[in-house]
Amino acid sequence: MAEDFLGMSGKLEESFVGAANSKLVQVAFETLEARAAKEKPQLVAGLKALKEAMGSEEFDRLVNTLENVNLGDNALLMLTGDEKTRTALTAKWLPAIKAAFGVENVRIVGGGRNGMDAY
């Protein structure tokens, strides 16, 4: 019966205890521009061109909050944490993104933060 697994309260009565991992650290979120300057210098010129096309306010709201961007030969992959940002970038800024990075193929993936807002 369900009571065997869930108890009388209807809630799972197991408590999860994770093993301590001293290699995991928490760091403050940095803007994409700051991270790109340090880790992916090949993105800096494209980001600068995109910022000029979008304006600082839109760029900070939509692009600087991206979780990751990868640039290939003729393709760009952007990972955003939510579907709203993905939709805004795809609907309004896709031609500007292609022009700024000089690519033909752009894929923008939303719902990166556990996919909670993808539904």
Side-chain angles (χ1 to χ4, degrees):
M1 297 194 108
E3 291 85 17
D4 295 338
F5 299 103
L6 300 177
M8 299 305 287
S9 68
K11 295 181 180 177
L12 184 64
E13 295 189 4
E14 275 184 69
S15 59
F16 177 78
V17 178
N21 186 343
S22 61
K23 295 180 182 179
L24 293 177
V25 295
Q26 184 175 0
V27 295
F29 184 81
E30 286 185 292
T31 64
L32 180 62
E33 279 183 302
R35 287 180 283 136
K38 291 188 289 188
E39 301 166 8
K40 297 183 178 183
Q42 69 273 21
L43 297 176
V44 173
L47 290 172
K48 184 177 178 181
L50 187 58
K51 188 173 188 174
E52 288 175 12
M54 294 177 78
S56 291
E57 187 176 316
E58 281 283 289
F59 183 85
D60 287 341
R61 186 174 66 84
L62 297 173
V63 178
N64 259 338
T65 60
L66 293 175
E67 293 178 3
N68 197 10
V69 175
N70 288 316
L71 180 62
D73 293 332
N74 198 24
L76 184 74
L77 174 67
M78 299 176 133
L79 177 63
T80 178
D82 58 51
E83 286 292 313
K84 291 178 190 175
T85 302
R86 185 197 70 78
T87 302
L89 288 170
T90 304
K92 188 174 180 183
W93 297 107
L94 194 57
I97 293 169
K98 287 180 178 182
F101 288 96
V103 296
E104 290 181 22
N105 301 310
V106 175
R107 176 167 287 180
I108 304 171
V109 181
R113 294 186 186 112
N114 299 322
M116 294 300 291
D117 63 340
Y119 300 102

